[in-house]
């Protein structure tokens, strides 16, 4: 159509219709259009429709000056990229400074429109030292967290992470840049599960076992290419350099990185004219010459910055490394950036090109003492401890010990809870790198640093790495004979085990922590241990034991003035009251907890209490208030990024929808909750949603699907030892059995449920069981047994103030 239009307009302008000209223009323009649309990631058959997804892009900005690599760029952009069963893979290899990453990024930006689901930049940082480099597990976790943030894992197993990544990318159209890879596993594990994807990898060498669809190995620029690059930089800077100067520079500097730096120095007037003379020796001398011209403070910051293991160096950490004020560090970083010695790939901090970092490290060894490096690293670790300490205060992370932590203010700007969580998300890779540095060096306070980031990682369900870090920190604390560190690590490991529904391991860690805290006379630590034991007993339906631990923890938290801890325990006592049907007492505890959390400004904990109060309102048929509270909790969970409470709110809204007759909405919400819980782990939560889905399918008449869901829940509860869950599922399966005529099986199930509810003193469960036993007896014509069970249920429902008493009374009246 475009060709026909161009041909027609051309003939009209010339006022002499020429069919040869018309046909030629149609053919020429059509070929151009076809070539422009035939890009990697597309095929000659239609791309199948995929579910909509939010576009995600983490590509760094491309340099506005890109010269000398036009042929390589054209080969990438014009490559057909057809593969029948897998993603297309390109590999770019070459020495440091040759422009591998920039070529990949330039190509990615040009092709981004063909991959609307995501454009991801993932850097392995393979040449940044032990603590700074990322392994396949790290990058898989980062990729899942970016592209599929609802997905987290319960094990740091590479196979499982790769499987989750393939599942998340199935049928998607994704472009990925994998930067600085050194093994074929780093590439193959990250290949998306879609032939509509493109992966561009960069490496210093060709990798065994990688068969790229396109391999590029750019070398030094030719003299003509270097001259072209210099002229383009000068033109954009509105500067003038004589042809002779340009030729001299192009004769010496042929790597894009060194060409850029040399020209920037001349354009900015920083470097002397001698920068372009050939007697400087190697091409890298342009950087060493720049180092020599730095003022002492900038040179010190440059040297010390090479010790930083993370990707985003900020003034706080630069100040610690150089032992200067943050204001001085900020000025020095700005000057180093202006001089082109460090770069700023995003707004969050500064970084090095690997070649510049290597040269700066060598320069630092000539001017710095190893002991100074050691002291600098200790200051960095202490600064990180100060930062996570302040952030934990802002996000209301639980405090496990009364012992002073011995830290200083971190000079972070004022932040809200949500802003602090966002900060931790942006700099998580940096904090993780510093933790690994502490572990590598067996730093005495490693346990403090690990403890400082564990709560944030638990919110984001990064359970495996929390356990990995805490196990390492525990070993260091044991080697040091540090009982406080051991106790705190045991608490953290116990919490993670509880999150995974491994209650035996969780109890073991809590019991190991408690005597350590007692020996240290650490009151808050003792309270934390009792709180953990209370939560574990709650999950195991040992309600009296759970309440005893919670009440003991409240007394201990009062001694140390821990408002957050008291709020947590009031919330636990409220849950226990709800579970045993004592709604009046439950409300009292929950409202007390809500007031305590409001006092400390903890939004996330208030969302928890809103959910608990909403459940009581649902159970007492105050549906409108229940819905308001559930939606309020959902909004808070969305704002704070709490995926666990998002799923919890969806589950409760789904139950409410089922109870009010909106079965389609209930199915949507409960299915979303189940999907989320399968992603983030927590088998008890999965079991709870399976029971609710089983109930919903039963109500809708799909008895086979209901039984499948309930059988899965039964298996989960049996594995984790959750007796209340087993009893609940027995009741639901008993109702199914009674509907299908399996009366004796139903009666046996109800009897087993009653034994459990009686033992754990759950009046609500016992009342429900009596009600169902009465209904079964009535269906068999046994009015005497029906009346006995319904009267028992009525007494329990009336003692709880439950609206279910009216239903029971109606059944009795009808006998």
């Amino acid at each position: 159509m475009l060709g026909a239009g161009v041909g027609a307009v051309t003939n009209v302008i010339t006022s002499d219709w020429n069919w040869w000209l018309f046909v030629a223009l149609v053919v020429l323009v059509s070929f151009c259009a076809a070539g422009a649309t035939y890009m990697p990631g597309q095929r000659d058959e239609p791309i199948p429709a995929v579910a909509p997804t939010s576009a995600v892009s983490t590509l760094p900005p491309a340099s506005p000056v890109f010269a000398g690599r036009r042929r390589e760029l054209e080969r990438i952009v014009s490559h057909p990229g057809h593969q029948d069963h897998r993603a297309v893979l390109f590999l770019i290899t070459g020495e440091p400074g040759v422009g591998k990453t920039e070529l990949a990024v330039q190509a990615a930006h040009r092709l981004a429109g063909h991959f609307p689901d995501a454009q991801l930049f993932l850097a392995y940082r393979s040449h940044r030292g032990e603590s700074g480099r990322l392994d396949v597990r790290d990058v898989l976790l980062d990729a899942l967290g970016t592209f599929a943030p609802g997905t987290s894992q319960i094990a740091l197993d590479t196979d499982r992470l790769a499987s989750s990544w393939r599942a998340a990318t199935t049928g998607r159209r994704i472009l990925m840049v994998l930067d600085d890879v050194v093994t074929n596993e780093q590439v193959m594990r990250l290949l998306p599960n879609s032939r509509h994807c493109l992966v561009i990898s960069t490496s210093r060498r060709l990798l065994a076992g990688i068969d790229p669809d396109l391999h590029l190995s750019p070398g030094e620029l030719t003299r003509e290419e270097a001259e072209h690059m210099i002229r383009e930089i000068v033109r954009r800077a509105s500067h003038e350099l004589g042809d002779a100067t340009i030729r001299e520079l192009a004769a010496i500097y042929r790597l894009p990185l060194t060409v850029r730096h040399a020209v920037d120095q001349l354009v900015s007037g920083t470097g002397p004219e001698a920068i372009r003379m050939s007697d400087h020796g190697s091409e890298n001398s342009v950087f060493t010459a720049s180092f020599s011209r730095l003022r002492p403070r900038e040179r010190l910051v440059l040297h010390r910055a090479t010790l930083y293991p993370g990707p985003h160096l900020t003034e706080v950490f630069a100040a610690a490394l150089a032992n200067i004020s943050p204001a001085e560090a900020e000025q020095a970083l700005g000057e180093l950036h202006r001089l082109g010695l460090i770069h700023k790939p995003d707004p969050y901090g500064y970084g090095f090109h690997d070649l510049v970092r290597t040269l700066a490290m060598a320069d630092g060894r000539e001017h710095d003492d190893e002991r100074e490096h050691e002291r600098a690293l200790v200051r960095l670790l202490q600064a990180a401890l100060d930062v996570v300490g302040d952030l934990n205060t802002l996000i209301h992370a639980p405090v496990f010990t009364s012992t002073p932590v011995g830290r200083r203010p971190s000079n972070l700007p004022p932040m809200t809870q949500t802003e602090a969580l966002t900060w931790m998300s942006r700099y998580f890779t940096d904090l993780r790198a510093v933790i690994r540095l502490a572990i590598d060096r067996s730093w005495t306070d490693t346990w403090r640093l690990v403890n400082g980031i564990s709560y944030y990682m638990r919110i984001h369900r990064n359970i495996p790495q929390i356990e990995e870090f805490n196990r390492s920190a525990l070993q260091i604390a044991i080697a040091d004979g540090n009982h406080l560190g051991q106790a705190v690590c045991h608490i953290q490991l116990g919490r993670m085990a509880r999150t995974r529904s491994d209650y035996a391991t969780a109890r073991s860690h809590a019991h190991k922590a408690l005597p350590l805290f007692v020996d240290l006379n650490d009151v808050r630590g003792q309270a934390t241990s009792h709180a953990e034991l209370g939560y574990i007993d709650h999950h195991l339906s040992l309600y009296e034991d759970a309440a005893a631990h919670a009440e003991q923890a409240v007394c201990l938290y009062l001694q140390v003035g821990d408002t957050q801890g008291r709020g947590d325990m009031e919330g636990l006592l409220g849950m226990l009251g709800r579970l045993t049907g004592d709604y009046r007492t439950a409300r009292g505890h929950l409202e007390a907890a809500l007031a305590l959390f409001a006092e400390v400004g903890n939004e996330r904990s208030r969302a928890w209490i809103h959910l608990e109060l909403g459940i009581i309102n649902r159970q007492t048929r105050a549906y409108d208030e229940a819905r308001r509270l559930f939606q309020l909790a959902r909004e808070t969970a969305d704002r704070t990024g709490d995926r666990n409470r998002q799923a919890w709110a969806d589950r409760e809204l789904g139950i409410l929808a089922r109870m009010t007759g909106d079965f389609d909405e209930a199915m949507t919400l409960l299915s979303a909750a189940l999907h989320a819980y399968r992603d983030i782990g927590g088998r008890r939560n999965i079991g709870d949603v399976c029971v609710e889905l089983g109930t919903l399918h039963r109500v809708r008449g799909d008895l086979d699907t209901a039984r499948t869901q309930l059988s899965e829940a039964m298996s989960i509860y049996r594995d984790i030892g959750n007796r209340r869950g087993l009893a609940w599922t027995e009741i639901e399966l008993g109702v199914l059995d009674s509907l299908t005529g399996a009366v004796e099986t139903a009666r046996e199930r109800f009897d087993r449920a009653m034994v459990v509810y009686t033992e754990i003193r759950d009046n609500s469960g016992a009342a429900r069981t009596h009600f169902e036993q009465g209904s079964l007896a009535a269906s068999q014509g046994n009015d005497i047994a029906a009346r006995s069970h319904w009267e028992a249920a009525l007494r329990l429902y009336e003692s709880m103030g439950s609206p279910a008493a009216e239903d029971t009374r109606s059944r009795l009246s009808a006998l």
Side-chain angles (χ1 to χ4, degrees):
M1 292 174 65
L2 178 62
V6 171
V9 170
T10 303
N11 278 284
V12 169
I13 293 174
T14 60
S15 301
D16 183 15
W17 191 272
N18 187 319
W19 281 106
W20 287 106
L21 175 63
F22 178 79
V23 172
L25 287 170
V26 170
V27 173
L28 178 62
V29 175
S30 298
F31 272 120
C32 292
T37 58
Y38 201 61
M39 296 295 181
Q42 293 187 312
R43 294 183 53 83
D44 48 7
E45 74 256 18
I47 293 176
V50 294
T53 184
S54 300
V56 177
S57 180
T58 60
L59 295 178
S63 172
V65 176
F66 184 70
R69 300 290 183 224
R70 296 295 175 184
R71 288 189 299 273
E72 290 89 345
L73 183 61
E74 180 61 26
R75 289 186 65 188
I76 295 175
V77 172
S78 62
H79 193 283
H82 289 172
Q83 293 298 333
D84 290 332
H85 305 295
R86 63 168 176 80
V88 179
L89 175 60
F90 296 164
L91 179 63
I92 304 172
T93 59
E95 63 179 304
V98 81
K100 302 183 297 295
T101 301
E102 184 60 36
L103 175 58
V105 170
Q106 292 279 350
H109 278 287
R110 282 162 174 75
L111 295 171
H114 298 282
F115 304 94
D117 290 331
Q119 307 98 43
L120 305 179
F121 182 88
L122 298 166
Y124 278 98
R125 307 176 68 245
S126 299
H127 298 89
R128 301 297 178 92
E130 268 317 305
S131 304
R133 70 172 59 110
L134 305 184
D135 60 23
V136 175
R137 297 181 307 169
D138 292 328
V139 176
L140 280 167
L141 283 168
D142 292 346
L144 284 165
T146 300
F147 180 70
T151 303
S152 186
Q153 300 301 314
I154 59 173
L156 267 184
D157 178 81
T158 304
D159 289 335
R160 294 182 66 174
L161 290 169
S163 178
S164 295
W165 173 243
R166 288 193 297 273
T169 58
T170 299
R172 302 299 190 189
R173 292 163 292 179
I174 304 169
L175 185 152
M176 296 172 58
V177 175
L178 297 178
D179 192 45
D180 202 11
V181 301
V182 294
T183 68
N184 65 349
E185 184 187 30
Q186 291 175 327
V187 177
M188 303 309 293
R189 293 288 195 175
L190 268 293
L191 283 181
N193 186 27
S194 172
R195 58 194 173 92
H196 306 297
C197 295
L198 171 63
V199 177
I200 306 175
S201 298
T202 72
S203 177
R204 293 188 180 182
R205 58 183 177 82
L206 193 60
L207 303 174
I210 296 291
D211 300 311
D213 300 291
L214 176 64
H215 173 222
L216 297 174
S217 185
E220 291 184 345
L221 299 172
T222 66
R223 185 165 184 165
E224 292 74 19
E225 289 171 337
E227 287 184 14
H228 177 69
M229 183 175 181
I230 294 167
R231 293 183 194 280
E232 185 64 16
I233 296 172
V234 170
R235 181 188 67 79
R236 293 183 66 88
S238 300
H239 192 81
E240 291 186 7
L241 283 181
D243 288 342
T245 301
I246 291 174
R247 285 194 295 272
E248 286 183 74
L249 288 171
I252 303 170
Y253 304 113
R254 298 291 181 80
L255 291 177
L257 183 67
T258 53
V259 170
R260 157 67 71 180
H261 187 69
V263 179
D264 282 348
Q265 298 300 294
L266 283 175
V267 168
S268 65
T270 303
E273 284 294 305
I275 196 173
R276 67 178 189 271
M277 300 306 295
S278 60
D279 60 3
H280 273 272
S282 71
E283 189 161 333
N284 295 337
S285 62
V286 67
F287 290 106
T288 56
S290 294
F291 299 160
S292 66
R293 292 191 302 275
L294 291 173
R295 291 177 296 180
R297 186 183 65 184
E298 279 74 25
R299 198 166 191 178
L300 174 64
V301 171
L302 178 77
H303 293 161
R304 297 293 170 74
T306 63
L307 302 174
Y308 185 66
H312 300 110
L313 179 63
T314 63
E315 65 274 10
V316 172
F317 291 148
L321 286 165
N323 203 21
I324 58 178
S325 71
E328 291 176 304
E330 185 175 18
Q331 292 175 358
L333 290 171
E335 180 65 10
L336 292 171
H337 181 242
R338 187 186 72 81
L339 296 173
L341 294 172
I342 59 176
H343 61 263
K344 196 169 189 178
D346 53 46
Y348 310 124
Y350 297 92
F352 277 106
H353 188 283
D354 282 347
L355 177 59
V356 180
R357 181 175 183 271
T358 300
L359 295 171
M361 288 177 69
D363 188 66
R365 281 194 292 268
E366 295 178 8
H367 296 84
D368 249 354
D369 188 296
E370 279 297 325
R371 289 172 296 181
E372 285 298 326
H373 282 189
E374 178 69 23
R375 285 191 281 267
L377 288 174
V378 171
R379 289 195 300 271
L380 171 65
L381 296 173
Q382 182 63 49
L385 181 59
D386 298 338
V387 165
V388 297
D390 282 356
L391 289 168
N392 274 341
T393 300
L394 291 168
I395 67 175
H396 303 287
V399 179
F400 296 154
T401 171
S402 305
T403 306
V405 296
R407 62 179 184 83
R408 302 156 299 186
S410 64
N411 296 306
L412 288 175
M415 286 185 264
T416 65
Q417 181 179 10
T418 301
E419 288 169 342
L421 287 167
T422 300
W423 192 101
M424 295 186 86
S425 296
R426 288 171 178 166
Y427 295 101
F428 171 69
T429 303
D430 295 83
L431 295 173
R432 181 172 60 188
V434 175
I435 285 174
R436 284 181 173 154
L437 177 66
I439 291 171
D440 290 344
R441 302 176 66 79
S442 296
W443 188 45
T444 301
D445 282 334
T446 297
W447 69 270
R448 296 187 191 274
L449 191 54
V450 170
N451 178 57
I453 198 172
S454 291
Y455 180 66
Y456 165 81
M457 294 174 71
R458 184 162 68 90
I459 292 173
H460 290 270
R461 313 303 286 184
N462 193 346
I463 307 303
Q465 284 194 325
I466 305 176
E467 292 183 312
E468 178 185 55
F469 292 157
N470 274 284
R471 280 194 293 268
S472 297
L474 177 60
Q475 293 307 309
I476 294 170
I478 290 173
D480 289 344
N482 187 326
H483 289 181
L484 183 60
Q486 294 173 44
V488 172
C489 289
H490 278 304
I491 288 292
Q492 289 287 12
L493 287 166
R495 285 196 167 190
M496 296 313 106
R498 173 166 61 84
T499 301
R500 291 186 287 99
S501 302
D502 184 356
Y503 301 125
T505 300
R507 187 186 298 279
S508 173
H509 281 296
H511 278 304
K512 289 176 182 177
L514 182 55
L516 291 170
F517 283 126
V518 171
D519 290 344
L520 293 165
N521 196 28
D522 190 311
V523 177
R524 184 180 274 111
Q526 295 172 50
T528 302
S529 301
H530 282 294
E532 277 302 304
L533 290 166
Y535 285 123
I536 293 165
D537 286 339
H538 149 250
H539 287 301
L540 294 172
S541 303
L542 302 173
Y543 297 143
E544 287 189 352
D545 292 342
H549 282 298
E551 288 164 358
Q552 192 164 358
V554 167
C555 294
L556 293 168
Y557 281 132
L558 275 168
Q559 289 183 39
V560 293
D562 190 329
T563 304
Q564 174 71 39
R566 286 171 54 208
D568 290 338
M569 290 303 94
E570 290 288 355
L572 175 56
L573 289 165
M575 278 198 301
L576 294 171
R578 171 179 65 78
L579 289 168
T580 55
D582 189 353
Y583 297 144
R584 183 177 303 171
T585 301
R587 282 187 189 276
H589 285 300
L590 293 172
E591 287 167 1
L594 197 61
L596 291 167
F597 293 140
E599 183 179 334
V600 297
N602 191 332
E603 286 188 273
R604 293 186 67 256
S605 293
R606 291 172 68 188
W608 163 40
I609 302 303
H610 286 145
L611 286 164
E612 289 293 336
L613 286 168
I615 294 171
I616 292 176
N617 281 307
R618 170 171 57 75
Q619 291 175 332
T620 56
R621 299 184 185 176
Y623 295 145
D624 289 342
E625 179 61 11
R627 183 176 291 104
R628 184 187 72 82
L629 289 167
F630 293 150
Q631 289 172 343
L632 185 60
R634 185 59 157 91
E635 291 167 5
T636 303
D638 289 343
R639 189 166 56 252
T640 57
D642 188 336
R643 295 197 295 274
N644 185 54
R645 288 198 173 94
Q646 288 170 349
W648 188 358
D650 283 344
R651 183 187 74 192
E652 297 305 329
L653 286 166
I655 297 169
L656 189 60
R658 189 252 304 165
M659 295 181 73
T660 55
D662 192 346
F663 296 154
D664 290 341
E665 177 71 6
M667 184 63 70
T668 298
L669 288 163
L670 289 173
S671 297
L674 181 61
H675 178 74
Y677 280 135
R678 289 196 195 282
D679 282 342
I680 64 181
R683 299 185 68 199
R684 184 187 64 81
N685 289 326
I686 295 172
D688 290 351
V689 181
C690 284
V691 175
E692 294 296 347
L693 280 167
T695 303
L696 177 60
H697 283 294
R698 170 173 61 78
V699 171
R700 299 185 73 167
D702 187 354
L703 303 188
D704 289 339
T705 304
R707 190 174 295 278
T708 299
Q709 294 282 3
L710 292 169
S711 297
E712 180 179 355
M714 179 70 79
S715 177
I716 290 171
Y717 291 137
R718 187 177 290 114
D719 284 349
I720 66 177
N722 189 319
R723 299 182 68 204
R724 183 179 186 276
L726 284 169
W728 178 24
T729 314
E730 290 278 25
I731 289 178
E732 290 298 328
L733 285 168
V735 173
L736 273 183
D737 289 336
S738 64
L739 289 173
T740 56
V743 175
E744 285 304 316
T745 303
R747 186 175 290 116
E748 290 171 2
R749 291 189 186 279
F750 293 147
D751 289 344
R752 286 196 293 268
M754 183 61 77
V755 169
V756 173
Y757 285 132
T758 301
E759 288 179 354
I760 67 176
R761 301 191 181 185
D762 184 336
N763 289 339
S764 177
R768 167 81 191 285
T769 308
H770 275 304
F771 185 87
E772 297 297 345
Q773 286 174 318
S775 298
L776 181 63
S779 70
Q780 298 299 302
N782 189 344
D783 291 350
I784 295 175
R787 181 177 296 279
S788 175
H789 283 299
W790 281 340
E791 286 176 346
L794 180 60
R795 286 193 296 272
L796 290 170
Y797 282 136
E798 287 178 336
S799 69
M800 294 185 294
S802 171
E806 290 300 321
D807 297 339
T808 311
R809 198 174 287 111
S810 297
R811 294 290 183 98
L812 284 166
S813 299
L815 278 178

